[in-house]
């Protein structure tokens, strides 16, 4: 986050001074993040990823279990991804040190002799819990220097509402800090400008809207409502089913936007995550599932790619302006969700620091109004 953004948000009493260590690139630790698509990990192939500026190497054991290790040998620091994986252990390419894939515990140092007393089993390369959900390998990123919690929650799952459904995945990179990516993700007013399309919206369709929001654990919800009358796909769905359409949108820390659309027995569910890679780079991972028989995956992907490309182009342009640390502002009511996000994040960090219960910035149901 730029100093300009920090200054404005501190003036609102939202963002505290950040400590001078790795966590203060503004990242939220002790959460699950999608690292790579599950389909990329097969056989004895090692795959790399970076989450919260931490280099990772991922793979799958001979038994099919996904694993994630820090991509650095604790001996001389060479990336373990250059080494050899036999289905059980990862061997460093520099000196042949071997590490158990699922625990990152060292199991062999070839250069040791019978006279050496080094306890190999006390050496670890760095291990991160991982789980597979919805076609992704999720990695639990605990704060640097902290011990893993024995009661980490399960990795997130996309809600689905029938046994048979179609599913697809999309992604794109954004050259910005994760905070900018997230507040862009939840911004309700940019649609007619960024996402102008014949099949969606235009500037001429702008009108006043009113929506209710309510607090949920670690986030907030746009309460179930009828979707915008200026969005053609929703109106088409209503005609097809002959029933009303309701939409519910949640934002949940650290980075998830979930949306559910229901019309009779027809449903659509999606999740977008803004995953921090570096301080100046994040990635949108988008997964959607639906049981609309008339919506083929290929058609949805075409429209979905258009939306993501529009967001990506906008963030590229924004990054150009943010290089100069301009003064920024957040307004009511259209920017209130962004303020809630910064409040949630700051209050969570404060609760973890002090050990007290987290204070939710949204105390009760509130109605917001804006034009889009």
């Amino acid at each position: 986050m730029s100093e300009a953004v920090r200054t404005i948000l501190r003036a609102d009493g939202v963002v505290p001074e950040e400590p001078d260590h790795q966590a203060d690139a503004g990242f939220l630790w002790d959460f699950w993040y999608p690292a790579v698509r599950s389909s990329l990990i097969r056989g004895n192939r090692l795959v790399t990823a970076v989450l919260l500026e931490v280099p990772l190497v991922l793979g799958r054991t001979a038994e099919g279990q996904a694993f994630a290790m820090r991509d650095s040998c604790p001996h001389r620091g060479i990336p373990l991804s250059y080494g050899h994986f036999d289905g059980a252990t990862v061997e460093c390419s520099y000196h042949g040190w071997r590490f158990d894939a699922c625990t990152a515990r060292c199991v062999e140092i070839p250069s040791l002799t019978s006279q050496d007393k080094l306890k190999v089993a006390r050496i670890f390369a760095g291990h991160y819990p991982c789980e597979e959900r919805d076609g992704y390998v999720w990695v639990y990123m605990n704060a640097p220097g902290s011990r893993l919690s024995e009661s980490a929650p399960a990795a997130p799952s996309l809600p689905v509402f029938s046994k048979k459904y179609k599913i697809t995945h999309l992604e794109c990179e954004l050259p910005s800090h994760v905070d900018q990516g997230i507040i862009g993700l939840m911004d309700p007013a940019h649609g007619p400008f960024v996402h102008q399309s014949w099949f969606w919206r235009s500037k001429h369709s702008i009108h006043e809207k009113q929506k209710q929001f309510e607090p949920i654990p670690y986030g907030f919800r746009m309460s179930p409502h009828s979707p915008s009358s200026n969005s053609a796909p929703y109106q088409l769905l209503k005609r097809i089913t002959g029933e009303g359409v309701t939409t519910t949108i949640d934002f949940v820390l650290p980075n998830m936007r979930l949306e559910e659309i229901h019309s009779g027995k027809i449903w659509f569910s999606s999740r977008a995550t803004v995953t921090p890679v570096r301080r100046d780079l994040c990635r949108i991972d988008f997964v959607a599932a639906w049981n609309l028989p008339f919506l083929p995956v290929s058609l949805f992907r075409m429209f979905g790619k258009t939306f993501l490309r529009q967001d990506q182009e906008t963030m590229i342009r924004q990054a150009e302006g943010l290089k100069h640390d301009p003064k920024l502002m957040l307004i009511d009511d259209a920017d209130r969700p962004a303020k809630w996000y910064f409040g949630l994040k700051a209050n969570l960090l404060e609760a973890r620091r002090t050990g007290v219960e987290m204070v939710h910035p949204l105390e009760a149901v509130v109605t917001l109004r804006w034009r889009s």
Side-chain angles (χ1 to χ4, degrees), residues 1-18:
M1 191 184 344
S2 72
E3 187 57 38
V5 175
R6 282 199 296 270
T7 300
I8 289 171
L9 295 174
R10 286 178 193 144
D12 286 345
V14 175
V15 175
E17 292 288 338
E18 297 174 356

Side-chain angles (χ1 to χ4, degrees), residues 151-167:
S151 58
S157 293
L158 180 71
V160 295
F161 305 94
S162 61
K163 291 183 179 179
K164 293 184 178 181
Y165 55 86
K166 298 170 185 174
I167 189 168

Side-chain angles (χ1 to χ4, degrees), residues 32-53:
W32 290 98
Y33 290 93
V36 296
R37 289 285 309 281
S38 293
S39 58
L40 294 177
I41 303 177
R42 53 186 181 272
N44 289 346
R45 181 184 183 190
L46 294 174
V47 176
T48 60
V50 177
L51 294 179
L52 288 70
E53 299 189 341

Side-chain angles (χ1 to χ4, degrees), residues 85-131:
F85 176 53
D86 63 6
T89 61
V90 176
E91 182 183 275
C92 178
S93 63
Y94 197 176
H95 295 91
W97 289 29
R98 290 196 303 119
F99 301 89
D100 178 76
C102 293
T103 64
R105 184 190 296 273
C106 187
V107 295
E108 182 185 1
I109 297 178
S111 62
L112 294 182
T113 69
S114 58
Q115 304 301 312
D116 289 302
K117 296 181 180 180
L118 180 64
K119 295 183 179 180
V120 173
R122 291 186 177 181
I123 300 171
F124 289 81
H127 163 254
Y128 295 87
C130 63
E131 294 182 8

Side-chain angles (χ1 to χ4, degrees), residues 241-255:
T241 64
E243 299 189 43
V245 181
T246 60
T247 299
T248 305
I249 300 173
D250 290 356
F251 173 77
V252 183
L253 288 178
N255 61 347

Side-chain angles (χ1 to χ4, degrees), residues 194-299:
V194 173
H195 298 301
Q196 292 183 48
S197 303
W198 64 267
F199 60 86
W200 193 243
R201 297 175 186 171
S202 72
K203 291 181 182 178
H204 305 294
S205 69
I206 294 176
H207 63 281
E208 187 167 318
K209 297 178 181 179
Q210 176 178 305
K211 298 287 189 294
Q212 284 193 328
F213 290 79
E214 57 190 277
I216 59 175
Y218 294 100
F220 52 86
R221 170 174 294 157
M222 185 186 291
S223 306
H225 60 279
S226 297
S228 179
S229 60
N230 61 343
S231 296
Y234 295 132
Q235 300 311 311
L236 176 61
L237 179 59
K238 186 176 181 179
R239 290 196 197 100
I240 290 171
T241 64
E243 299 189 43
V245 181
T246 60
T247 299
T248 305
I249 300 173
D250 290 356
F251 173 77
V252 183
L253 288 178
N255 61 347
M256 291 190 294
R257 179 189 186 276
L258 297 140
E259 182 170 2
E260 292 178 18
I261 301 170
H262 296 268
S263 182
K265 294 182 179 180
I266 299 298
W267 60 269
F268 177 91
S269 178
S270 69
R271 180 188 63 228
T273 55
V274 183
T275 301
V277 178
R278 301 190 310 261
R279 298 161 200 247
D280 60 348
L281 180 68
C282 56
R283 186 184 71 245
I284 293 181
D285 288 296
F286 178 83
V287 57
W290 63 91
N291 70 341
L292 291 78
F294 50 85
L295 179 58
V297 170
S298 58
L299 182 62

